[in-house]
Amino acid sequence: MYEVFLTYRDELIYTIAVIILLMIIQFVLRKAANKVGKRSEINITRTRLMFKYINILIFLIAAFLLSFAWGVGLSELALIFSSTFAVIGVALFAIWSILSNITSGIIMFFSFPYKIGDTIKIHDKDLPIEAEIEDIKAFHLHLRTSDGELITYPNNLILQKAVSLIETHRRHDEGKDAL
């Protein structure tokens, strides 16, 4: 065991340093997302969704840095990442609307002026909708009409349509103090 440590001493020290640094960066990013969420009165479930995105980002950075540290050459690493992103790119092109909704969900986290409990009107010439925002998910909004009908509205469309605030009626968020 001691021989293994001596042989890979530099790699192990680099690995520990990278893990500690990425944990600090993850902590800072999560605190920042939490602070934005509290300041903007964003629902706790949406803030937790941002935490998942932060975790994925940190994992990808860790995979890149650690593979480089353990002897994977830059050209091999470039080949692996370019091949992976090419496959992901083809898959996402086939399902571009899902990526569009996720991106819209991230944009809405930081700059969506309406909150859960607000009643809004979506100005769509074919199908105007007036409903209360019941939940904001990664891909869509849950809207409840006055008739009790639940409408699932894609995030990318809510950013493309004109929306009016009809009534502000914020529901108490029981999980807000949980963080």
Side-chain angles (χ1 to χ4, degrees), residues 23-52:
M23 287 175 68
I24 291 170
I25 292 172
Q26 179 184 28
F27 176 77
V28 168
L29 289 175
R30 287 174 65 116
K31 280 290 191 190
N34 191 26
K35 192 174 188 178
V36 168
K38 283 184 178 180
R39 185 172 18 133
S40 302
E41 298 178 2
I42 294 173
N43 188 297
I44 190 69
T45 56
R46 291 184 60 212
T47 304
R48 288 186 181 138
L49 181 63
M50 282 291 110
F51 292 166
K52 288 180 185 178

Side-chain angles (χ1 to χ4, degrees), residues 136-165:
I136 302 173
K137 303 277 188 181
F139 299 102
H140 54 267
L141 297 171
H142 285 175
L143 304 172
R144 182 77 61 183
T145 64
S146 58
D147 300 336
E149 178 184 11
L150 178 66
I151 298 172
T152 304
Y153 203 80
N155 286 343
N156 62 347
L157 290 182
I158 197 78
L159 293 180
Q160 295 175 13
K161 304 286 183 184
V163 179
S164 298
L165 178 64

Side-chain angles (χ1 to χ4, degrees), residues 46-66:
R46 291 184 60 212
T47 304
R48 288 186 181 138
L49 181 63
M50 282 291 110
F51 292 166
K52 288 180 185 178
Y53 293 151
I54 290 169
N55 290 341
I56 291 169
L57 175 68
I58 294 296
F59 176 78
L60 290 174
I61 292 171
F64 174 76
L65 292 176
L66 293 177

Side-chain angles (χ1 to χ4, degrees), residues 8 10 79 130 154 177 179:
Y8 296 107
D10 293 339
L79 178 66
E130 185 172 324
D177 297 331
L179 287 180

Side-chain angles (χ1 to χ4, degrees), residues 113-124:
Y114 312 111
K115 308 285 185 235
I116 294 175
D118 289 352
T119 302
I120 60 170
K121 180 174 183 176
I122 302 170
H123 301 280
D124 186 352

Side-chain angles (χ1 to χ4, degrees), residues 3 12 43 59 62 71 74 82 89 97 118:
E3 291 176 17
L12 290 171
N43 188 297
F59 176 78
L74 198 54
S82 65
S97 66
D118 289 352

Side-chain angles (χ1 to χ4, degrees), residues 58-114:
I58 294 296
F59 176 78
L60 290 174
I61 292 171
F64 174 76
L65 292 176
L66 293 177
S67 60
F68 188 67
W70 283 90
V72 177
L74 198 54
S75 61
E76 292 90 5
L77 199 56
L79 178 66
I80 291 170
F81 274 97
S82 65
S83 300
T84 302
F85 286 129
V87 169
I88 291 171
V90 169
L92 290 178
F93 180 74
I95 52 172
W96 69 269
S97 66
I98 291 175
L99 179 63
S100 173
N101 283 318
I102 291 173
T103 305
S104 298
I106 293 170
I107 292 169
M108 287 170 51
F109 178 78
F110 290 105
S111 64
F112 194 57
Y114 312 111

